Amino acid sequence: MTAAPFEQLTASEVECLLRHRLNLFLDAGAAPCAALVLAAQVEVPEEAAVALLEQGFSVDLTLRLLYTAE
């Protein structure tokens, strides 16, 4: 998701989206604080982030790899 569609969401929709992303990243093995940081980066694709986290990559490295790939 890019910033433009994200800005069009209601507060309730944003909360739902961020909770969903947070739970995905926690389930993939990210530490709680790191998962929260990653969840807030809505332009990062969930599937790609989960795949990297499940392979043991840190959230920091996951973010660097996915931002570099754009």
Side-chain angles (χ1 to χ4, degrees), residues 2-67:
T2 61
F6 181 77
E7 292 173 0
Q8 301 301 315
L9 298 176
T10 65
S12 177
E13 291 169 328
V14 167
E15 181 181 354
C16 184
L17 174 69
L18 294 178
R19 282 181 191 265
H20 168 74
R21 289 174 59 85
L22 175 62
N23 288 326
L24 276 178
F25 302 144
L26 288 170
D27 291 345
C33 288
L36 184 57
V37 169
L38 185 55
Q41 307 303 312
V42 295
E43 63 279 0
V44 171
E46 295 172 355
E47 299 82 19
V50 166
L52 292 172
L53 292 169
E54 287 178 340
Q55 292 179 46
F57 287 73
S58 69
V59 167
D60 182 53
L61 184 54
T62 295
L63 283 170
R64 284 191 272 156
L65 288 170
L66 293 176
Y67 276 122

